[in-house]
């Protein structure tokens, strides 16, 4: 493949190149493509062991400078297999040459066009790089930078960890070089991110008699560079989220959290405010005490409102540069603010109230739901989901701002990651006390939710069926019929045979809500009775946990409460035998659920009760009731006695 390199080098770079390599450098910038191709000789010279070390070092320097040009330059160099050539150079005994190769490798690997996996194609490379860490401060700086840029995800973390990254890099945190300290710190921040294994190891590592968390805390201090403070806070945050450091540890409560709140203040650079807010959101995401603490530190909730005021209005031409910078970061700021608000409001009702009372907050969320940036939309939906856990807000602010409208719009056409959070939010908006429930139904939600239950994405299936379950709770018969029509019997069976227990439980919950109040039970069983009984039989015969079986027996108890529907049980000997079996089960929950079925079937005041009682007596049900009336479990005992009274009445 042709290697075409763009953009001439700065003269300062060229002046470093001696006459011996200038001939090749000049050709790289010739207008004739043939001559440009000859410029690839640089790479050839770099690999020739017969070339002098000085020349090879110069080649590495020039190639590194080229890599600092356009992304096309890097692509061309990659096409010419520069990485294997430079890695080969690392085997040289000459330190200056090694450093030049590492500097060039660093520049190439930090380019967005370079695939990180190129570092991991040969495991001996990582091992060799670990060995080079001791050679000089330059090798330490460049190698740490390569590692931190190329460590993307758990697979890379595991490789670096297994090759001794923690042990080899730890001592660099106390280097005399600020650059080395900073790059080592960045390495640990990417190694520990969402990685319990690394985090648990870091907490016990000591350098010069001091444990790493203590070293990180020192790097958090206000007199340290902001980048160092932020990166240390990220390390401690990852360790805390992994459970390596307790959430109530003073290094989190008194050092990390206040440092991250400080990063959100107006006097910090926009980039720092983004990183500070996102890291803080992650730190407090699952801990209510940290959420409460953050919410009352430095007026954080009000301070975050400022994140929405970019780009600020410009008055002078001189401000255009600032406007450009603000525009670039405006999306990131809104995304970070929404994320942090979502974490702050995850559990505490008072915090949610404060967030919603912040200036124009609901309008900002509604606007965020229709932003062009997917990341901002996702963060806005997360924020809305967090606030939708509040009963009070569902009844007030959510209704005042008709939040359901933009939410339904988001659900029409969005990537799965947004759909998952948006559908979770919809589940909350469909709870029986939510005033949004009615208009959501009228806007075609049933069809939308039924389609979600067919998704290959597990979370979407769960949310679709969960929302339908909430919708069916105490609903009128028409809505229940619409749900059953929308789902279809085939889809209902599909969900009842889903391999995920959450889907199964929510589907059973939906059936239970559909089969409530007698007229509804009778109506639904008259149209879908055969299929529902078939499904109940399948589940009671299958290998399911106690909760699933209990929920299924509760559905049977509801059917038994119908006027005409109960005949579907009484004429099904297989089901009756199953109810009898569960009355004598070793699990009290299942016994109790089976007893509810029996009680509803034998209730005296209902037509045909005598025949039902006689049939069940002939099956031996009364004997089991007598036995259960002696049970040590008070619930079982009471229920059995109540049932026996129906026989005596």
């Amino acid at each position: 493949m042709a290697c075409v390199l763009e953009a001439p080098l700065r003269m300062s770079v060229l002046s470093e190149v001696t006459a011996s390599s200038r001939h090749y450098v000049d050709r790289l910038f010739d207008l004739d493509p043939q001559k440009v191709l000859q410029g690839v000789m640089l790479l050839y010279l770099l690999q020739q062991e017969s070339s002098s070390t000085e020349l090879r070092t110069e080649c590495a320097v020039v190639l590194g400078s080229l890599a600092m040009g356009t992304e096309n330059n890097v692509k061309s160099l990659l096409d010419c297999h520069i990485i294997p050539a430079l890695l080969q150079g690392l085997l040289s005994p000459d330190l200056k040459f090694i450093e030049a190769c590492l500097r060039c490798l660093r520049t190439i690997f930090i380019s967005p066009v370079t695939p990180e996996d190129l570092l991991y194609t040969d495991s001996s490379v990582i091992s060799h790089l670990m060995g080079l860490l001791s050679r000089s401060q330059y090798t330490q700086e460049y190698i740490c930078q390569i590692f931190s840029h190329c460590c993307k995800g758990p697979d890379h973390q595991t490789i670096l960890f297994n090759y001794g990254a923690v042990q080899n890099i730890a001592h660099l945190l106390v280097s005399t070089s600020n650059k080395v300290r900073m790059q080592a710190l960045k390495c640990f921040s990417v190694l520990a991110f969402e990685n319990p294994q690394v985090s648990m190891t870091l907490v016990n590592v000591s350098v010069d008699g001091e444990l790493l968390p203590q070293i990180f805390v020192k790097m958090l201090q206000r007199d340290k560079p902001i980048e160092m403070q932020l990166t240390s806070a990220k390390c401690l945050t990852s360790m805390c989220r992994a459970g390596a450091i307790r959430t109530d540890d003073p290094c989190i409560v008194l050092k990390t959290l206040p440092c991250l709140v400080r990063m959100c203040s107006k006097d910090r650079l926009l980039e720092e405010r983004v990183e500070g807010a996102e890291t803080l959101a992650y730190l407090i995401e699952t801990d209510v005490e940290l959420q409460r603490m953050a919410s009352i530190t430095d007026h954080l909730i009000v301070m975050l409102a400022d994140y929405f005021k970019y780009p600020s209005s410009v008055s002078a031409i001189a401000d255009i540069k600032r406007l450009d910078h603000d525009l670039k970061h405006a999306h990131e700021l809104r995304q970070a603010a929404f994320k942090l608000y979502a974490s702050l409001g995850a559990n505490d009702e008072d915090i949610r109230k404060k967030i919603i009372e912040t200036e124009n907050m609901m309008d900002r969320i509604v606007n965020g739901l229709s932003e062009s940036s997917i990341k901002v939309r996702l963060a806005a939906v997360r924020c809305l989901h967090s606030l939708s856990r509040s009963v009070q807000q569902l009844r007030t602010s959510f209704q005042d701002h008709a939040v359901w409208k933009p939410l339904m719009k988001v659900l029409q056409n969005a990537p799965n990651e947004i759909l998952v959070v948006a559908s979770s939010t919809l589940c909350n908006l469909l709870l029986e006390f939510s005033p949004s429930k009615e208009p959501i139904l009228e806007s075609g939600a049933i069809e939308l939710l039924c389609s979600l239950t067919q998704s290959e994405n597990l979370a979407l299936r769960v949310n679709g069926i969960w929302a339908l379950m909430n919708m069916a709770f105490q609903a009128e018969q028409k809505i229940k019929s619409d749900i059953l029509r929308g789902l279809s019997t085939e889809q209902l069976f599909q969900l009842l045979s889903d391999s995920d227990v959450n889907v199964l439980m929510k589907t059973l919950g939906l059936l239970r809500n559909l089969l409530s109040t007698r007229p509804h039970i009778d109506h639904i069983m008259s149209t879908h009775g055969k299929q529902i009984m078939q499904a109940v039989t399948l589940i009671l015969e299958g290998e399911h946990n106690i909760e699933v079986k209990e929920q299924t027996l509760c559905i049977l108890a509801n059917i038994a409460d119908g006027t005409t529907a109960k005949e579907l049980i009484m004429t099904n000997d297989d089901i009756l035998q199953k109810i009898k079996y569960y009355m004598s089960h070793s699990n009290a929950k299942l016994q109790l659920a089976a007893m509810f079925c029996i009680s509803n079937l034998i209730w005296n005041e209902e037509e045909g009760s005598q025949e039902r009682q006689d049939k069940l007596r002939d099956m031996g049900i009364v004997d089991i009731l007598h036995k259960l009336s002696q049970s040590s479990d008070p619930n079982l005992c009471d229920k059995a006695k109540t049932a026996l009274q129906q026989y005596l009445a």
Side-chain angles (χ1 to χ4, degrees), residues 376-484:
V376 178
R377 284 212 306 277
L378 178 59
V381 174
R382 279 205 174 122
C383 184
L384 190 66
H385 180 236
S386 183
L387 300 175
S388 74
R389 294 181 179 132
S390 161
V391 175
Q392 181 60 32
Q393 300 311 331
L394 283 174
R395 285 183 170 147
T396 53
S397 308
F398 274 54
Q399 188 60 12
D400 298 344
H401 290 80
V403 164
W404 64 270
K405 284 183 183 172
L407 187 67
M408 286 297 288
K409 202 173 168 189
V410 166
L411 281 160
Q412 301 301 330
N413 182 22
N416 276 1
E417 55 180 342
I418 291 181
L419 276 180
V420 168
V421 191
S423 53
S424 286
T425 312
L426 194 65
C427 288
N428 292 343
L429 265 66
L430 286 168
L431 290 164
E432 83 279 6
F433 51 73
S434 165
S436 307
K437 184 172 181 176
E438 210 56 49
I440 289 172
L441 275 166
E442 288 163 11
S443 70
I446 291 177
E447 192 184 339
L448 174 86
L449 294 169
C450 288
S451 71
L452 286 185
T453 67
Q454 297 176 25
S455 170
E456 286 181 16
N457 181 296
L458 171 60
L460 287 179
R461 287 205 304 283
V462 170
N463 288 347
I465 202 72
W466 194 340
L468 288 169
M469 180 183 92
N470 288 351
M471 196 184 268
F473 183 75
Q474 294 182 352
E476 37 187 271
Q477 189 171 301
K478 182 189 177 306
I479 292 169
K480 291 182 176 180
S481 298
D482 287 348
I483 290 173
L484 273 171

Side-chain angles (χ1 to χ4, degrees), residues 440-564:
I440 289 172
L441 275 166
E442 288 163 11
S443 70
I446 291 177
E447 192 184 339
L448 174 86
L449 294 169
C450 288
S451 71
L452 286 185
T453 67
Q454 297 176 25
S455 170
E456 286 181 16
N457 181 296
L458 171 60
L460 287 179
R461 287 205 304 283
V462 170
N463 288 347
I465 202 72
W466 194 340
L468 288 169
M469 180 183 92
N470 288 351
M471 196 184 268
F473 183 75
Q474 294 182 352
E476 37 187 271
Q477 189 171 301
K478 182 189 177 306
I479 292 169
K480 291 182 176 180
S481 298
D482 287 348
I483 290 173
L484 273 171
R485 201 174 303 114
L487 261 187
S488 81
T489 314
E490 191 185 338
Q491 179 57 10
L492 197 60
F493 269 100
Q494 199 71 41
L495 291 164
L496 288 169
S497 55
D498 199 286
S499 58
D500 184 81
V501 73
N502 271 329
V503 173
L504 179 52
M505 282 297 282
K506 294 289 179 285
T507 309
L508 292 170
L510 167 64
L511 270 177
R512 197 172 166 183
N513 286 349
L514 290 171
L515 295 165
S516 62
T517 75
R518 280 186 183 167
H520 296 182
I521 295 168
D522 289 334
H523 175 75
I524 288 170
M525 292 307 287
S526 71
T527 54
H528 293 80
K530 188 182 169 192
Q531 296 92 330
I532 289 172
M533 294 303 284
Q534 209 177 331
V536 165
T537 309
L538 275 174
I539 290 168
L540 290 177
E541 284 175 353
E543 293 291 319
H544 295 291
N545 64 29
I546 298 296
E547 285 70 27
V548 168
K549 300 256 170 131
E550 182 191 16
Q551 187 83 296
T552 309
L553 287 166
C554 288
I555 290 169
L556 271 181
N558 283 13
I559 296 169
D561 193 37
T563 306
T564 55

Side-chain angles (χ1 to χ4, degrees), residues 17-296:
V17 184
T18 60
S20 57
S21 59
R22 180 176 292 277
H23 170 70
Y24 298 103
V25 173
D26 288 343
R27 294 190 172 218
L28 287 167
F29 309 107
D30 199 291
L31 293 173
D32 179 352
Q34 286 308 311
K35 290 185 180 174
V36 174
L37 287 176
Q38 289 173 32
V40 177
M41 281 297 289
L42 271 175
L43 256 176
Y44 173 75
L45 288 171
L46 178 86
Q47 295 174 84
Q48 291 308 303
E49 290 187 17
S50 56
S51 305
S52 70
T53 307
E54 289 75 13
L55 177 58
R56 293 170 80 198
T57 305
E58 278 173 16
C59 290
V61 169
V62 176
L63 288 164
S65 300
L66 281 169
M68 286 178 184
T70 66
E71 287 184 1
N72 277 344
N73 282 9
V74 178
K75 281 180 186 165
S76 293
L77 290 169
L78 289 171
D79 289 342
C80 299
H81 309 296
I82 189 171
I83 290 180
L86 291 167
L87 291 174
Q88 189 64 31
L90 299 181
L91 300 173
S92 163
D94 187 273
L95 183 57
K96 285 277 173 270
F97 180 48
I98 289 172
E99 288 172 352
C101 289
L102 282 172
R103 193 183 304 116
C104 186
L105 277 167
R106 180 271 317 264
T107 306
I108 285 170
F109 273 120
I110 64 176
S111 166
V113 300
T114 308
E116 297 85 14
D117 283 330
L118 290 176
L119 183 68
Y120 303 95
T121 46
D122 181 351
S123 57
S124 66
V125 168
I126 305 291
S127 175
H128 189 63
L129 288 171
M130 293 292 178
L132 291 174
L133 275 168
S134 59
R135 294 293 297 273
S136 73
Q137 287 188 344
Y138 286 125
T139 64
Q140 291 165 353
E141 180 192 339
Y142 303 145
I143 291 169
C144 284
Q145 212 172 344
I146 290 168
F147 285 162
S148 59
H149 271 278
C150 294
C151 186
K152 300 278 194 282
D155 291 348
H156 295 167
Q157 287 171 327
T158 302
I159 294 168
L160 293 173
F161 179 80
N162 289 343
Y163 276 95
V166 173
Q167 296 76 5
N168 283 299
I169 296 170
H171 68 98
L172 304 183
L173 291 169
V174 295
S175 166
T176 53
S177 158
N178 265 337
K179 284 183 174 178
V180 171
R181 282 212 304 283
M182 193 57 238
Q183 293 306 332
L185 191 58
K186 280 185 176 176
C187 244
F188 282 128
S189 106
V190 295
L191 278 169
F193 182 65
E194 293 184 345
N195 192 311
Q197 184 188 27
V198 174
S199 294
M200 291 294 186
T201 305
L202 289 183
V203 83
N204 296 313
V205 172
S206 63
V207 179
D208 297 345
E210 201 167 20
L211 287 168
L212 284 196
Q214 295 168 312
I215 294 174
F216 293 148
V217 167
K218 279 186 179 172
M219 292 172 141
L220 278 180
Q221 289 166 355
R222 289 170 187 256
D223 61 338
K224 296 290 185 284
I226 295 297
E227 188 184 22
M228 187 172 278
Q229 291 182 46
L230 250 175
T231 314
S232 305
K234 282 170 118 176
C235 290
L236 289 160
T237 294
S238 290
M239 291 164 78
C240 179
R241 283 300 305 267
I245 300 175
R246 288 166 55 102
T247 53
D248 59 358
D249 190 298
C251 81
I252 297 297
V253 177
L254 303 177
K255 300 291 182 183
T256 310
L257 187 142
C259 167
L260 289 169
V261 173
R262 212 161 58 230
M263 295 300 152
C264 299
S265 69
K266 212 169 180 174
D267 57 354
R268 295 267 50 90
L269 295 173
L270 299 188
E271 301 89 314
E272 292 160 2
R273 296 175 79 185
V274 167
E275 208 169 339
E278 294 212 333
T279 308
L280 183 56
Y282 180 53
L283 174 67
I284 68 173
E285 189 178 15
T286 57
D287 190 273
V288 66
E289 286 311 317
L290 289 180
Q291 288 157 12
R292 287 178 182 143
M293 216 166 293
S295 73
I296 55 168

